[in-house]
Amino acid sequence: MEMLVNENCGLTGKIAIVFGGSRGIGAAAARRLAREGADVTVTYVSAPERAAETVGAIEATGRSGLAIKADNADPAAIKAAVAQTVDHFGKLDIAVVNAGILMLGDVEMVSVEDLDRMLDINVRGVFLAIQAAAARLTEGGRIITIGSNTAVRSGHPGSSVYSMTKAAVAVMVKGIAIDLAGRGITVNNIQPGPTVTDMTADHIDAIRPLIPLRRAGDPDEIAGLVAYLARKESGYMTGSSLTIDGGMAL
C-alpha cells in the first residue's frame, strides 16, 4: 500500500526538511511526506526522543530520515541544519517551517522577554529558516510555512502577540513568493485552527465550542494540505495563505 501511495503522489526522490518536526503538526507532516516518497530531515529543540520516534516512523515507510537539533531562534543552527541535510541527502526540494511557540497573555501581562521570544521564533526564526532553505533549494522547490488562523481571526483574549506573529508570516510569504518566483519555487502558508497537539492541550477544550464543526483538527489533516503544496500539482499556487480551521474564520 505504501508503494501505491508513493507512486501516485509524485514525491518519490524528493528531499524535505521539516523545521520543528519532532511532534504535533510537524511530525505529522514529516510522516506524510515520507509516505508519499520523500526522504525527510526533522529538526527539534528539546525532545530528542520524540524526534527519534518521528525518524522511526519515516523509516517504517521505506524512506530515510534524519533528526538534527536546531533552535529556530539560532541563525547558525538553522543554516547548519540545512547544510547537514544537503550533505546527507545530496539536495533539498521541500522546506516546511513549522517551528513556533504559543504564549498567551493579556496586553498588560506580556513581558518584554515573552514578546521577544515569540518574535524571535515565530517571525524572525521563520524568515531565517526560509532564507537558509531557499539558498539550497532546487529549482521548482517548495516552501511551506505553518501559521495560524489567528492571523485572520483573534477570537479570545490573550492572543494579541501570537496573532500578530502569525499575521506577519502571512504577509512575509507574499513577498518571499515574489522573490523566489523566478526560480520556480513556490511559497505558501497554512493557517490551521485549533488542532490537537501538545501545544494546545491546555486550552483546546475551551476553544472547541467556537468551532462550527464542533471538533478540533487532527495533525494528519494539516499534513494532507502540506503534502498537496509539496506536490507538482500545486505548482501554480504561490504567496497564498490557506486556512483550515473547521469554519472558525468564516
Side-chain angles (χ1 to χ4, degrees):
M1 189 59 158
E2 298 291 353
M3 290 302 295
L4 290 174
V5 172
N6 291 346
E7 290 171 2
N8 289 337
C9 293
L11 294 184
T12 299
K14 300 295 185 182
I15 306 299
I17 184 169
V18 180
F19 294 95
S22 65
R23 52 190 176 183
I25 291 172
R31 295 192 302 266
R32 179 62 181 263
L33 294 173
R35 288 202 305 271
E36 299 211 5
D39 297 323
V40 187
T41 291
V42 298
T43 73
Y44 67 95
V45 177
S46 59
E49 68 289 343
R50 298 289 293 275
E53 289 174 9
T54 302
V55 169
I58 291 166
E59 294 176 343
T61 70
R63 308 313 308 169
S64 295
L66 178 66
I68 299 173
K69 185 174 183 179
D71 187 341
N72 251 43
D74 183 347
I78 293 170
K79 287 184 179 180
V82 172
Q84 288 178 52
T85 297
V86 174
D87 288 346
H88 186 80
F89 291 114
K91 62 172 183 169
L92 179 64
D93 303 297
I94 302 160
V96 180
V97 186
N98 175 65
I101 59 172
L102 171 63
M103 303 173 74
L104 299 176
D106 292 344
V107 62
E108 298 93 343
M109 303 299 294
V110 176
S111 68
V112 172
E113 291 76 18
D114 287 348
L115 174 64
D116 287 346
R117 181 68 173 159
M118 276 195 281
L119 290 171
D120 280 350
I121 295 176
N122 292 3
V123 181
R124 179 173 175 268
V126 171
F127 180 86
L128 292 173
I130 293 173
Q131 184 181 58
R136 306 299 295 271
L137 274 176
T138 55
E139 299 293 302
R142 299 285 189 264
I143 296 173
I144 303 156
T145 60
I146 307 298
S148 169
N149 74 333
T150 60
V152 293
R153 184 191 188 282
S154 296
H156 54 86
S159 63
S160 61
V161 175
Y162 181 74
S163 298
M164 173 183 67
T165 67
K166 296 305 182 178
V169 170
V171 175
M172 182 195 307
V173 161
K174 292 178 181 293
I176 295 175
I178 296 171
D179 290 345
L180 298 179
R183 293 171 55 196
I185 295 171
T186 65
V187 188
N188 291 291
N189 177 45
I190 297 173
Q191 298 184 151
T195 305
V196 180
T197 67
D198 293 349
M199 192 166 72
T200 63
D202 291 339
H203 62 274
I204 197 76
D205 289 338
I207 297 174
R208 192 175 284 112
L210 303 175
I211 306 170
L213 287 182
R214 293 295 187 266
R215 70 173 180 86
D218 186 282
D220 287 335
E221 294 176 302
I222 315 305
L225 190 48
V226 170
Y228 166 70
L229 292 173
R231 296 196 296 262
K232 183 178 181 180
E233 65 191 290
S234 69
Y236 196 51
M237 177 178 288
T238 195
S240 295
S241 287
L242 307 177
T243 300
I244 174 171
D245 70 352
M248 284 186 73
L250 296 178

CSV table of all heavy atoms in Angstrom, one decimal, residues 199-236:
chain,number,residue,atom,x,y,z
A,199,MET,N,1.0,21.5,22.2
A,199,MET,CA,1.0,22.9,22.4
A,199,MET,C,-0.4,23.5,22.8
A,199,MET,O,-0.5,24.5,23.5
A,199,MET,CB,1.5,23.7,21.2
A,199,MET,CG,1.8,25.1,21.4
A,199,MET,SD,2.8,25.9,20.0
A,199,MET,CE,1.6,26.0,18.7
A,200,THR,N,-1.4,22.8,22.3
A,200,THR,CA,-2.8,23.2,22.5
A,200,THR,C,-3.5,22.5,23.7
A,200,THR,O,-4.7,22.8,23.9
A,200,THR,CB,-3.6,23.1,21.3
A,200,THR,OG1,-3.8,21.7,20.9
A,200,THR,CG2,-3.0,23.9,20.1
A,201,ALA,N,-2.9,21.6,24.3
A,201,ALA,CA,-3.5,20.7,25.2
A,201,ALA,C,-4.2,21.4,26.4
A,201,ALA,O,-5.3,21.0,26.8
A,201,ALA,CB,-2.5,19.6,25.8
A,202,ASP,N,-3.7,22.5,26.8
A,202,ASP,CA,-4.2,23.2,28.0
A,202,ASP,C,-5.4,24.0,27.7
A,202,ASP,O,-6.2,24.4,28.7
A,202,ASP,CB,-3.1,24.1,28.6
A,202,ASP,CG,-2.0,23.3,29.2
A,202,ASP,OD1,-2.2,22.2,29.5
A,202,ASP,OD2,-0.9,23.9,29.4
A,203,HIS,N,-5.7,24.3,26.4
A,203,HIS,CA,-6.8,25.2,26.2
A,203,HIS,C,-7.8,24.8,25.1
A,203,HIS,O,-8.7,25.5,24.7
A,203,HIS,CB,-6.3,26.6,25.9
A,203,HIS,CG,-5.5,26.7,24.6
A,203,HIS,ND1,-4.1,26.5,24.7
A,203,HIS,CD2,-5.8,27.0,23.3
A,203,HIS,CE1,-3.6,26.6,23.4
A,203,HIS,NE2,-4.6,26.9,22.6
A,204,ILE,N,-7.5,23.6,24.5
A,204,ILE,CA,-8.3,23.1,23.4
A,204,ILE,C,-9.8,22.9,23.7
A,204,ILE,O,-10.7,23.2,22.9
A,204,ILE,CB,-7.7,21.8,22.8
A,204,ILE,CG1,-8.3,21.6,21.4
A,204,ILE,CG2,-8.0,20.6,23.7
A,204,ILE,CD1,-7.6,22.4,20.3
A,205,ASP,N,-10.1,22.5,24.9
A,205,ASP,CA,-11.5,22.2,25.3
A,205,ASP,C,-12.3,23.5,25.4
A,205,ASP,O,-13.5,23.6,25.0
A,205,ASP,CB,-11.5,21.5,26.7
A,205,ASP,CG,-11.1,20.1,26.6
A,205,ASP,OD1,-11.1,19.5,25.5
A,205,ASP,OD2,-10.7,19.5,27.6
A,206,ALA,N,-11.6,24.6,25.8
A,206,ALA,CA,-12.3,25.9,25.9
A,206,ALA,C,-12.6,26.5,24.5
A,206,ALA,O,-13.6,27.2,24.4
A,206,ALA,CB,-11.5,26.9,26.7
A,207,ILE,N,-11.8,26.1,23.5
A,207,ILE,CA,-12.0,26.7,22.2
A,207,ILE,C,-12.9,25.9,21.4
A,207,ILE,O,-13.6,26.4,20.5
A,207,ILE,CB,-10.6,26.8,21.5
A,207,ILE,CG1,-9.7,27.8,22.3
A,207,ILE,CG2,-10.8,27.2,20.0
A,207,ILE,CD1,-8.3,27.8,21.7
A,208,ARG,N,-13.0,24.6,21.6
A,208,ARG,CA,-13.8,23.7,20.8
A,208,ARG,C,-15.3,24.2,20.5
A,208,ARG,O,-15.7,24.1,19.4
A,208,ARG,CB,-13.9,22.3,21.4
A,208,ARG,CG,-14.4,21.2,20.5
A,208,ARG,CD,-14.3,19.8,21.0
A,208,ARG,NE,-12.9,19.3,21.0
A,208,ARG,CZ,-12.1,19.1,22.0
A,208,ARG,NH1,-12.5,19.4,23.2
A,208,ARG,NH2,-10.9,18.6,21.9
A,209,PRO,N,-16.0,24.7,21.5
A,209,PRO,CA,-17.3,25.2,21.2
A,209,PRO,C,-17.4,26.4,20.2
A,209,PRO,O,-18.5,26.6,19.6
A,209,PRO,CB,-17.8,25.7,22.6
A,209,PRO,CG,-17.0,25.0,23.6
A,209,PRO,CD,-15.7,24.8,22.9
A,210,LEU,N,-16.3,27.0,19.9
A,210,LEU,CA,-16.2,28.1,19.0
A,210,LEU,C,-16.1,27.6,17.5
A,210,LEU,O,-16.2,28.4,16.6
A,210,LEU,CB,-15.1,29.1,19.3
A,210,LEU,CG,-15.1,29.7,20.7
A,210,LEU,CD1,-13.8,30.5,20.9
A,210,LEU,CD2,-16.3,30.6,20.9
A,211,ILE,N,-15.8,26.4,17.3
A,211,ILE,CA,-15.6,25.8,16.0
A,211,ILE,C,-16.9,25.3,15.4
A,211,ILE,O,-17.6,24.5,16.0
A,211,ILE,CB,-14.6,24.6,16.1
A,211,ILE,CG1,-13.3,25.1,16.8
A,211,ILE,CG2,-14.2,24.1,14.7
A,211,ILE,CD1,-12.4,23.9,17.2
A,212,PRO,N,-17.3,25.8,14.3
A,212,PRO,CA,-18.5,25.4,13.7
A,212,PRO,C,-18.7,23.9,13.5
A,212,PRO,O,-19.8,23.3,13.6
A,212,PRO,CB,-18.6,26.1,12.3
A,212,PRO,CG,-17.8,27.4,12.6
A,212,PRO,CD,-16.7,27.0,13.5
A,213,LEU,N,-17.6,23.2,13.2
A,213,LEU,CA,-17.6,21.8,13.0
A,213,LEU,C,-17.7,21.0,14.3
A,213,LEU,O,-17.8,19.8,14.4
A,213,LEU,CB,-16.5,21.2,12.2
A,213,LEU,CG,-16.6,21.6,10.7
A,213,LEU,CD1,-15.4,21.0,9.9
A,213,LEU,CD2,-17.9,21.0,10.0
A,214,ARG,N,-17.5,21.8,15.4
A,214,ARG,CA,-17.6,21.2,16.8
A,214,ARG,C,-16.5,20.2,17.1
A,214,ARG,O,-16.7,19.3,17.9
A,214,ARG,CB,-19.0,20.6,17.0
A,214,ARG,CG,-20.1,21.6,17.1
A,214,ARG,CD,-20.0,22.6,18.2
A,214,ARG,NE,-21.1,23.5,18.4
A,214,ARG,CZ,-21.2,24.7,17.9
A,214,ARG,NH1,-20.2,25.2,17.1
A,214,ARG,NH2,-22.2,25.5,18.1
A,215,ARG,N,-15.4,20.3,16.5
A,215,ARG,CA,-14.3,19.5,16.8
A,215,ARG,C,-13.0,20.2,16.5
A,215,ARG,O,-13.0,21.1,15.7
A,215,ARG,CB,-14.3,18.1,16.1
A,215,ARG,CG,-14.1,18.2,14.6
A,215,ARG,CD,-14.0,16.8,14.0
A,215,ARG,NE,-13.8,16.9,12.5
A,215,ARG,CZ,-12.6,17.0,11.9
A,215,ARG,NH1,-11.5,17.0,12.7
A,215,ARG,NH2,-12.5,17.0,10.6
A,216,ALA,N,-11.9,19.8,17.1
A,216,ALA,CA,-10.6,20.3,16.8
A,216,ALA,C,-10.0,19.5,15.6
A,216,ALA,O,-10.5,18.4,15.3
A,216,ALA,CB,-9.6,20.2,18.0
A,217,GLY,N,-9.0,20.1,15.0
A,217,GLY,CA,-8.4,19.4,13.9
A,217,GLY,C,-7.4,18.3,14.3
A,217,GLY,O,-7.0,18.3,15.5
A,218,ASP,N,-7.1,17.4,13.4
A,218,ASP,CA,-6.1,16.4,13.6
A,218,ASP,C,-4.9,16.8,12.9
A,218,ASP,O,-4.9,17.3,11.7
A,218,ASP,CB,-6.7,15.0,13.1
A,218,ASP,CG,-5.7,13.9,13.5
A,218,ASP,OD1,-4.7,13.7,12.7
A,218,ASP,OD2,-6.0,13.2,14.4
A,219,PRO,N,-3.7,16.6,13.5
A,219,PRO,CA,-2.4,16.9,12.7
A,219,PRO,C,-2.3,16.3,11.4
A,219,PRO,O,-1.8,16.9,10.4
A,219,PRO,CB,-1.3,16.4,13.7
A,219,PRO,CG,-1.9,16.5,15.0
A,219,PRO,CD,-3.4,16.1,14.8
A,220,ASP,N,-2.9,15.1,11.2
A,220,ASP,CA,-2.8,14.4,9.9
A,220,ASP,C,-3.6,15.2,8.8
A,220,ASP,O,-3.3,15.1,7.6
A,220,ASP,CB,-3.3,13.0,10.0
A,220,ASP,CG,-2.3,12.1,10.7
A,220,ASP,OD1,-1.1,12.4,10.7
A,220,ASP,OD2,-2.7,11.1,11.3
A,221,GLU,N,-4.7,15.9,9.3
A,221,GLU,CA,-5.4,16.7,8.3
A,221,GLU,C,-4.6,17.9,7.8
A,221,GLU,O,-4.7,18.2,6.6
A,221,GLU,CB,-6.7,17.2,9.0
A,221,GLU,CG,-7.7,16.1,9.3
A,221,GLU,CD,-8.9,16.5,10.0
A,221,GLU,OE1,-8.8,17.1,11.1
A,221,GLU,OE2,-10.0,16.3,9.5
A,222,ILE,N,-3.8,18.5,8.7
A,222,ILE,CA,-3.0,19.6,8.3
A,222,ILE,C,-1.9,19.0,7.4
A,222,ILE,O,-1.5,19.7,6.4
A,222,ILE,CB,-2.4,20.3,9.5
A,222,ILE,CG1,-3.4,20.6,10.6
A,222,ILE,CG2,-1.7,21.6,9.0
A,222,ILE,CD1,-4.6,21.3,10.1
A,223,ALA,N,-1.4,17.9,7.7
A,223,ALA,CA,-0.3,17.2,6.9
A,223,ALA,C,-0.7,16.9,5.5
A,223,ALA,O,0.1,17.0,4.6
A,223,ALA,CB,0.2,16.0,7.6
A,224,GLY,N,-2.0,16.6,5.3
A,224,GLY,CA,-2.5,16.4,4.0
A,224,GLY,C,-2.4,17.6,3.1
A,224,GLY,O,-2.1,17.5,1.9
A,225,LEU,N,-2.6,18.8,3.7
A,225,LEU,CA,-2.5,20.0,2.9
A,225,LEU,C,-1.0,20.3,2.7
A,225,LEU,O,-0.7,20.8,1.6
A,225,LEU,CB,-3.2,21.2,3.7
A,225,LEU,CG,-3.3,22.5,3.0
A,225,LEU,CD1,-3.9,22.4,1.6
A,225,LEU,CD2,-4.2,23.5,3.9
A,226,VAL,N,-0.2,20.0,3.6
A,226,VAL,CA,1.3,20.1,3.4
A,226,VAL,C,1.7,19.3,2.2
A,226,VAL,O,2.4,19.8,1.3
A,226,VAL,CB,2.1,19.7,4.6
A,226,VAL,CG1,3.6,19.6,4.3
A,226,VAL,CG2,1.8,20.7,5.8
A,227,ALA,N,1.2,18.1,2.1
A,227,ALA,CA,1.6,17.2,1.0
A,227,ALA,C,1.1,17.7,-0.3
A,227,ALA,O,1.8,17.7,-1.3
A,227,ALA,CB,1.0,15.8,1.3
A,228,TYR,N,-0.1,18.3,-0.3
A,228,TYR,CA,-0.6,18.9,-1.6
A,228,TYR,C,0.3,20.0,-2.0
A,228,TYR,O,0.7,20.1,-3.2
A,228,TYR,CB,-2.0,19.4,-1.4
A,228,TYR,CG,-2.5,20.3,-2.5
A,228,TYR,CD1,-2.7,19.7,-3.8
A,228,TYR,CD2,-2.6,21.6,-2.4
A,228,TYR,CE1,-3.1,20.6,-4.9
A,228,TYR,CE2,-2.9,22.5,-3.4
A,228,TYR,CZ,-3.2,21.9,-4.7
A,228,TYR,OH,-3.5,22.8,-5.7
A,229,LEU,N,0.7,20.9,-1.1
A,229,LEU,CA,1.5,22.0,-1.5
A,229,LEU,C,2.9,21.6,-1.9
A,229,LEU,O,3.6,22.3,-2.6
A,229,LEU,CB,1.6,23.0,-0.4
A,229,LEU,CG,0.2,23.7,-0.1
A,229,LEU,CD1,0.4,24.6,1.2
A,229,LEU,CD2,-0.2,24.6,-1.2
A,230,ALA,N,3.3,20.4,-1.5
A,230,ALA,CA,4.7,19.9,-1.8
A,230,ALA,C,4.7,19.2,-3.2
A,230,ALA,O,5.8,19.1,-3.8
A,230,ALA,CB,5.1,18.9,-0.8
A,231,ARG,N,3.5,18.9,-3.7
A,231,ARG,CA,3.5,18.1,-4.9
A,231,ARG,C,3.5,19.0,-6.2
A,231,ARG,O,3.2,20.2,-6.1
A,231,ARG,CB,2.2,17.2,-4.9
A,231,ARG,CG,2.2,16.1,-3.9
A,231,ARG,CD,1.2,15.0,-4.2
A,231,ARG,NE,-0.1,15.5,-4.1
A,231,ARG,CZ,-1.0,15.4,-3.1
A,231,ARG,NH1,-0.5,14.8,-2.0
A,231,ARG,NH2,-2.2,15.8,-3.2
A,232,LYS,N,3.7,18.4,-7.3
A,232,LYS,CA,3.8,19.1,-8.6
A,232,LYS,C,2.5,19.8,-8.9
A,232,LYS,O,2.4,20.9,-9.5
A,232,LYS,CB,4.2,18.2,-9.7
A,232,LYS,CG,4.4,18.8,-11.0
A,232,LYS,CD,4.8,17.8,-12.1
A,232,LYS,CE,5.0,18.5,-13.4
A,232,LYS,NZ,5.5,17.5,-14.5
A,233,GLU,N,1.4,19.2,-8.6
A,233,GLU,CA,0.1,19.7,-8.9
A,233,GLU,C,-0.3,21.0,-8.3
A,233,GLU,O,-1.2,21.7,-8.8
A,233,GLU,CB,-1.0,18.7,-8.5
A,233,GLU,CG,-1.2,18.5,-7.0
A,233,GLU,CD,-2.0,17.3,-6.7
A,233,GLU,OE1,-3.3,17.4,-6.9
A,233,GLU,OE2,-1.5,16.3,-6.2
A,234,SER,N,0.5,21.4,-7.3
A,234,SER,CA,0.2,22.7,-6.7
A,234,SER,C,1.1,23.8,-7.2
A,234,SER,O,1.1,24.9,-6.7
A,234,SER,CB,0.4,22.6,-5.2
A,234,SER,OG,1.8,22.5,-4.9
A,235,GLY,N,1.8,23.6,-8.3
A,235,GLY,CA,2.8,24.5,-8.8
A,235,GLY,C,2.4,25.8,-9.3
A,235,GLY,O,3.2,26.7,-9.4
A,236,TYR,N,1.1,26.0,-9.5
A,236,TYR,CA,0.6,27.4,-9.9
A,236,TYR,C,0.1,28.2,-8.7
A,236,TYR,O,-0.4,29.3,-8.9
A,236,TYR,CB,-0.5,27.2,-10.9
A,236,TYR,CG,-0.9,28.5,-11.7
A,236,TYR,CD1,0.2,29.2,-12.3
A,236,TYR,CD2,-2.2,28.9,-11.8
A,236,TYR,CE1,-0.1,30.3,-13.1
A,236,TYR,CE2,-2.4,30.1,-12.5
A,236,TYR,CZ,-1.4,30.8,-13.2
A,236,TYR,OH,-1.7,31.9,-13.9
